[in-house]
Amino acid sequence: MKFASYFSSVFSILEEIIHVLLPVRCANCGREISYALKQWLCYECISSLPATDFHLVPLNPVFQLFMHHPEVKFATACYFFHHDGILQRIIHQIKYQHHQQLARSMGRLMAQMLKPGLASIDYIIPVPLHPRKERQRGYNQAAILAYGLADDLQKPVIHHLLRRKKFTESQTRKGRQARQQNVQHAFQLAAHANVLTGKHLLLIDDVVTTGATLNACIDTLIQLPGVQISIATLAIAES
Ligand SMILES: [Zn+2]
């Protein structure tokens, strides 16, 4: 264990040196940026992100996907996902090109936007991947976003109490009803999940479309008495 922690601190020092010597490039436009900023987008690309501002509108279109659950207090998606747009390029790198630092910095941007409305949350819970999918990818992109939010919100991330038990096919090409059936009963609570009883939970995912996956998570979490749920996704895509 001691050797492992020594090894990881040597690795992070090496990583710092590499980034001082080699320029970091904006994940969207490729322009050189300063590593010291710990952002992976340049200032111009951050300014051009298509913000929804849904967090300023209580009955926004994302909240409406979940408002049939009285436990849901707040829901938003931070940016619009357009075909061939900046969010599509960012999410592609986060999901398929192992750009975990980009995911974490996007989580920090989400926190900056949403922080004033999230003072009452107790825990941050990323939508889980099936363990087989997580092994294939090497990480859960929603969990990395959640850790980015936690950097700023200073709330704990809990990612072992809500589990995905059903291996589902990709939702991308499915309609609203097929998506619901695909994820129905896909999640379960771990045996010691009762520590979440009565808590305000912030559910995090990368993209919301019909809300089927998040609704399946909510159905599972509200088995715990007294939970309140808020939801934030990086982006909203049209179904
Ligand atoms: Zn850029």
Side-chain angles (χ1 to χ4, degrees):
M1 197 60 203
K2 216 170 177 184
F3 179 73
S5 90
Y6 170 75
F7 200 74
S8 94
S9 60
V10 168
F11 183 79
S12 67
I13 292 166
L14 280 175
E15 195 186 15
E16 293 278 339
I17 293 171
I18 287 167
H19 285 308
V20 169
L21 297 174
L22 290 174
V24 171
R25 297 202 172 269
C26 169
N28 184 51
C29 71
R31 185 179 301 162
E32 231 177 80
I33 44 179
S34 163
Y35 175 67
L37 296 175
K38 303 272 180 192
Q39 282 293 2
W40 299 84
L41 292 173
C42 70
Y43 178 74
E44 284 77 2
C45 288
I46 289 176
S47 316
S48 76
L49 288 168
T52 63
D53 285 336
F54 286 168
H55 61 293
L56 306 174
V57 184
L59 279 175
N60 69 66
V62 176
F63 182 75
Q64 288 181 32
L65 297 172
F66 309 110
M67 62 192 283
H68 56 286
H69 290 292
E71 297 86 351
V72 173
K73 300 298 160 199
F74 167 83
T76 192
C78 294
Y79 303 106
F80 290 110
F81 178 107
H82 298 298
H83 184 64
D84 277 342
I86 181 169
L87 261 295
Q88 186 179 36
R89 290 190 286 280
I90 288 170
I91 285 168
H92 183 82
Q93 292 183 54
I94 286 175
K95 281 177 81 165
Y96 306 113
Q97 296 186 332
H98 298 267
H99 203 335
Q100 293 179 56
Q101 299 106 320
L102 175 62
R104 192 146 180 158
S105 69
M106 293 312 294
R108 287 196 291 267
L109 282 180
M110 289 171 72
Q112 284 166 25
M113 183 187 288
L114 306 178
K115 196 172 185 174
L118 296 178
S120 69
I121 64 151
D122 297 300
Y123 297 117
I124 306 174
I125 300 192
V127 170
L129 290 179
H130 188 274
R132 197 186 336 154
K133 185 89 143 274
E134 189 162 341
R135 273 198 301 279
Q136 282 167 0
R137 186 168 293 158
Y139 57 94
N140 172 3
Q141 71 279 1
I144 314 275
L145 284 171
Y147 280 109
L149 275 129
D151 288 342
D152 200 336
L153 300 180
Q154 300 290 307
K155 304 283 182 182
V157 176
I158 295 204
H159 55 74
H160 55 288
L161 297 181
L162 178 65
R163 293 178 178 161
R164 197 162 192 141
K165 59 179 175 174
K166 191 163 130 190
F167 190 87
T168 51
E169 302 163 45
S170 167
Q171 300 270 77
T172 316
R173 290 176 211 288
K174 293 185 188 297
R176 183 176 295 264
Q177 213 177 352
R179 282 172 187 243
Q180 267 168 16
Q181 283 164 358
N182 195 31
V183 292
Q184 214 170 25
H185 312 302
F187 300 93
Q188 67 181 2
L189 294 170
H192 44 295
N194 55 2
V195 295
L196 303 178
T197 296
K199 301 293 183 191
H200 186 175
L201 312 173
L202 176 63
L203 261 175
I204 299 296
D205 207 359
D206 50 358
V207 182
V208 60
T209 306
T210 63
T213 303
L214 283 157
N215 266 315
C217 289
I218 296 165
D219 287 337
T220 307
L221 288 169
I222 60 176
Q223 294 166 19
L224 296 158
V227 290
Q228 295 190 314
I229 297 175
S230 288
I231 295 157
T233 68
L234 177 60
I236 178 168
E238 285 189 354
S239 54

